[in-house]
Amino acid sequence: TNSIHVLQNLDHLLDLAVTDAAARKIDETVLLQARLFPTMFPLIRQVRIACDVAKLGTARLTGIPAPVFEDDEQSFAQLKERIAKTIAHLKTVPESAFVGCAERPIELPHRPNKLFSAPVVLQKFMQPNLYFHVMTVYNILRHNGVAVGKNDYLGELS
């Protein structure tokens, strides 16, 4: 699915960050805790949220429970593991689980007592949210001198 593609691109961005940090002899914690603005979340939390958006959004659409992660990652390797676990979970969700989801009302945690249709949740919440957090990781890395480009964000288009 699209979420898997986006998470694979996020994983690739982290590979570039690891390589760059090693080449420039930068402690990876510096990049993991980097943020674009003091009130924004650091890179490490952006990755966690991207994974959560993908797995929890899919759970809301299908009714299939999402795995729970501890939010205790402290390294790029651990973040990559989280991405891999998220992708592995998404691959277990059969396409048939999405059948009929358009008719099911969905409540979002940040909008209690209001129900939304699946297309609204997917198109106006889940996808934009996932793109936002992955793009923020990209921007944090780019801002900190990691050689990432647009094609790294977009990934393979096949």
Side-chain angles (χ1 to χ4, degrees):
T1 68
N2 186 52
S3 294
I4 291 171
H5 173 77
V6 173
L7 291 174
Q8 288 169 333
N9 296 346
L10 176 59
D11 187 67
H12 172 67
L13 291 172
L14 298 190
D15 285 340
L16 295 174
V18 169
T19 301
D20 182 83
R24 294 193 294 154
K25 296 179 179 25
I26 297 171
D27 182 339
E28 71 176 31
T29 305
V30 172
L31 291 177
L32 291 168
Q33 294 303 323
R35 53 184 83 212
L36 293 175
F37 194 76
T39 59
M40 292 180 75
F41 293 133
L43 182 143
I44 199 165
R45 183 124 181 236
Q46 300 290 345
V47 174
R48 290 175 185 156
I49 294 171
C51 290
D52 288 350
V53 166
K55 69 184 175 91
L56 295 173
T58 300
R60 288 183 184 103
L61 294 174
T62 65
I64 296 174
V68 175
F69 301 146
E70 296 300 318
D71 292 341
D72 59 357
E73 299 87 5
Q74 296 299 316
S75 67
F76 280 113
Q78 290 171 328
L79 287 176
K80 288 175 60 58
E81 182 180 328
R82 183 185 184 114
I83 294 168
K85 290 189 300 188
T86 304
I87 291 171
H89 166 70
L90 294 176
K91 286 182 175 180
T92 69
V93 178
E95 280 191 40
S96 60
F98 292 93
V99 174
C101 75
E103 290 78 38
R104 275 194 306 273
I106 300 171
E107 185 175 0
L108 297 173
H110 66 289
R111 303 268 168 81
N113 305 316
K114 187 168 184 186
L115 298 176
F116 300 92
S117 70
V120 168
V121 169
L122 178 64
Q123 296 168 5
K124 294 186 178 180
F125 175 73
M126 186 179 164
Q127 287 179 331
N129 216 1
L130 180 59
Y131 297 145
F132 173 85
H133 291 286
V134 174
M135 179 53 74
T136 302
V137 169
Y138 170 92
N139 287 330
I140 290 170
L141 294 175
R142 183 83 187 233
H143 178 74
N144 282 278
V146 178
V148 294
K150 187 176 186 178
N151 288 332
D152 297 308
Y153 171 77
L154 294 174
E156 290 295 322
L157 300 178
S158 58

